[in-house]
Amino acid sequence: MRTTVGIIGAGPAGLLLARLLHNAGIDSVVLESRDRAYVEHRQRAGILEQGTVDVLREAGAGERMDREGLPHDGIELRYDKKRHRVDFPALTGGRSVMVYAQTEVCKDLIALQLKDGGPLLFEAEALAVEGADGDSPRIRFRHQGREDVLECEYVVGCDGFWGVARKAIPAELTQVFERTYPFAWLGILADVPPSHDELVYARHDRGFALLSMRSPSVSRLYLQVPEGTHAESWGDEEIWDELERRFETDDDWTLDRGPITQKSVTPMRSHVHEPMRYGRLFLAGDAAHIVPPTGAKGLNLAVGDVVTFARALAYQKETGSAERLDAYSETCLRRVWQAERFSYDMTSLLHRAPDATAFEDRMQQARLERIAGSRAAEADLAEGYTGFPLE
C-alpha cells in the first residue's frame, strides 16, 4: 500500500487529521489496532474548547454536535461552601465550550471517513515505523492475519502513549518532562440528570470533586481518591455520600442521585515528549503529551496538533515551502506548554495533597478568593479553559 500520509490511530486526532487532509485534497490511510465498536464506545474527554468546536464545524463534522451537544458559557467554583460562577463569554470576548463526548466525535468522523474519505482500516495493528529519517518512511502493520507495509511520504503518530510511533525517535534525541501526582480520580457515569446546568469544580478539605455530564439525562462525576485506588472498592452509596459532602453549599442546592452504570479510576500525570517531530514522523496527541484531566485539555491539544500539521502540509502543497512543517514541533510545543501550565495550575488549585499543610490549605483558599474577587484573575482562568489560539 502507498499513500501520502500514514496515520496511526483512529482516535479523534487521527480521524480529524484524515478529514482535514481529505478536504485539502491530500490522500491518507488510517490504521487502527482496535475494532470500530471499541473506538466508538471508549469513554474519554467530553469538553470541547471553542477552537475545537470551530475546527469540527469547518471540517464538516459539526452537524450532530450542534444538534446534540451542550454549549456551556461558564463553570462554577466551590470552596468553603461558597459558589462562584466564571462567565466565559463576558471574560473572553464571546468564547465558550461545548460538552460533547469524545465517543460522539469519533462516531461522526468515522461516518464521514467511510462515506467519502480514504482507507480506514480497523484491527490493523501498527508494528513499527521505519525510515522516518529518510524520504520514504514506512509503517509495518498486521491486518487480517498477515503483515503488510504502508509506504508514505509522511507518518503521523496519533497512537497514544503506548503506541509505536514515539519509539521510532532515537532516545538520544529526546527529552521527557513529567510529573506524577499522588492522587487519582474515581469517575462514575450515572443515569440521573445533572444537578447543575454547568460544570462544578469543588475544592474541599476531603479532596476535589467535579460535577459534569454526558447528556441532559446522564451525569459524569469525579472524586479525588488516593493513587492506586480500585474503583470497586467504593460502594455506590459511599460515592454519593462523599460527593454530597464535597459539593455542600450554604444555600439549598442539592445533589440528585441515580443508578451508577460505570466506575473507573484515572491516574493523574503530566508528560511532554520533545521533539514532536523526527524526520518525516510527526507525533500528535497523547503520543507526545499528557495532561491531568482537571483542565479538560487532552483532546483539545490533540486537535491543535493535527490542525497544525494539516495546515503546514497544505501550505507546502500550495507554495512548495516546507517552512511550516519544519516548525511543527516548535509551534505545537508553545501551545502544549501553556496547556500543561493551565492544567497544573487547576490541579494544584483544587486538589488537596496527602501531605498538605495548613499553610498550603490557606494558599488554595487565597487563590480561589483572588479568582472570585479579581476580573483579571478570573479572565486568565476563562481564557485558559476556553482554549489557547491555534497558530
Side-chain angles (χ1 to χ4, degrees):
M1 294 181 68
R2 184 184 298 273
T3 189
T4 301
V5 182
I7 302 171
I8 309 175
L15 292 166
L16 177 59
L17 176 57
R19 183 65 184 175
L20 295 173
L21 294 174
H22 170 78
N23 290 348
I26 301 169
D27 63 292
S28 68
V29 173
V30 183
L31 305 176
E32 168 56 47
S33 62
R34 303 281 192 163
D35 62 25
R36 180 177 178 178
Y38 179 89
V39 174
E40 292 186 337
H41 291 90
R42 61 183 159 197
Q43 292 292 333
R44 291 292 188 273
I47 306 296
L48 308 183
E49 295 174 352
Q50 182 70 63
T52 297
V53 170
D54 294 342
V55 166
L56 288 170
R57 287 172 178 157
E58 291 166 9
E63 180 181 351
R64 194 164 68 93
M65 173 188 70
D66 285 329
R67 187 173 67 248
E68 300 180 11
L70 306 174
H72 278 210
D73 287 339
I75 58 172
E76 183 173 287
L77 300 176
R78 291 191 186 179
Y79 58 99
D80 298 335
K81 300 183 182 179
K82 301 174 186 176
R83 306 172 65 179
H84 176 77
R85 182 175 184 267
V86 179
D87 186 332
F88 293 155
L91 295 160
T92 64
R95 296 171 68 83
S96 60
V97 297
M98 179 82 76
V99 176
Y100 191 62
Q102 174 176 313
T103 51
E104 306 310 309
V105 174
C106 287
K107 289 175 186 176
D108 296 341
L109 290 169
I110 287 171
L112 286 171
Q113 187 71 7
L114 295 178
K115 178 184 177 184
D116 56 19
L120 166 54
L121 305 182
F122 291 104
E123 299 181 87
E125 179 188 6
L127 303 174
V129 177
E130 300 171 343
D133 56 345
D135 294 334
S136 303
R138 303 172 300 281
I139 305 171
R140 283 198 299 105
F141 68 99
R142 182 183 296 112
H143 184 234
Q144 296 180 340
R146 67 183 185 89
E147 286 196 19
D148 205 341
V149 174
L150 177 61
E151 297 180 354
C152 321
E153 294 180 29
Y154 305 93
V155 174
V156 182
C158 305
D159 51 345
F161 183 79
W162 301 107
V164 301
R166 190 176 66 251
K167 298 174 184 176
I169 302 179
E172 63 270 18
L173 300 181
T174 69
Q175 280 187 290
V176 173
F177 306 86
E178 56 188 349
R179 176 186 177 89
T180 300
Y181 298 86
F183 40 75
W185 278 11
L186 170 64
I188 63 166
L189 279 175
D191 285 338
V192 59
S195 299
H196 194 59
D197 56 0
E198 293 178 332
L199 274 68
V200 177
Y201 288 77
R203 187 269 172 203
H204 193 279
D205 285 343
R206 296 175 65 91
F208 168 76
L210 171 61
L211 185 157
S212 182
M213 64 279 299
R214 280 293 177 264
S215 74
S217 60
V218 177
S219 292
R220 182 72 159 154
L221 302 108
Y222 298 92
L223 284 170
Q224 177 188 341
V225 294
E227 183 184 20
T229 294
H230 295 286
E232 297 308 319
S233 66
W234 282 72
D236 291 7
E237 290 307 307
E238 184 183 10
I239 291 172
W240 287 117
D241 289 345
E242 189 62 27
L243 286 165
E244 212 165 64
R245 289 188 196 99
R246 299 189 192 183
F247 287 126
E248 186 180 6
T249 61
D250 280 330
D251 57 20
D252 59 356
W253 183 89
T254 57
L255 177 67
D256 293 329
R257 303 186 179 203
I260 295 175
T261 59
Q262 184 184 106
K263 299 178 190 177
S264 61
V265 172
T266 302
M268 305 281 284
R269 59 178 172 152
S270 303
H271 179 99
V272 179
H273 180 283
E274 296 187 9
M276 290 175 58
R277 177 197 178 183
Y278 171 63
R280 292 188 171 228
L281 167 64
F282 299 77
L283 303 181
D286 286 0
H289 42 72
I290 293 173
V291 290
T294 324
K297 288 284 165 273
L299 181 153
N300 296 290
L301 271 184
V303 168
D305 295 342
V306 298
V307 168
T308 300
F309 176 81
R311 288 177 178 174
L313 189 57
Y315 181 79
Q316 185 191 50
K317 179 183 176 184
E318 294 165 6
T319 68
S321 171
E323 176 186 1
R324 295 185 182 180
L325 280 174
D326 292 341
Y328 171 81
S329 184
E330 180 184 354
T331 302
C332 290
L333 284 169
R334 282 197 294 269
R335 192 167 183 269
V336 166
W337 277 112
Q338 285 303 314
E340 291 283 356
R341 175 198 60 80
F342 177 77
S343 300
Y344 173 83
D345 286 349
M346 287 285 284
T347 302
S348 61
L349 173 69
L350 296 163
H351 293 73
R352 192 172 192 277
D355 58 352
T357 64
F359 178 84
E360 289 165 325
D361 289 339
R362 290 289 196 225
M363 286 297 293
Q364 284 184 319
Q365 292 167 14
R367 290 169 65 192
L368 285 160
E369 291 287 2
R370 172 67 177 169
I371 292 168
S374 164
R375 184 177 178 85
E378 194 178 24
D380 184 62
L381 188 156
E383 288 172 0
Y385 199 97
T386 56
F388 302 103
L390 294 171
E391 297 187 44

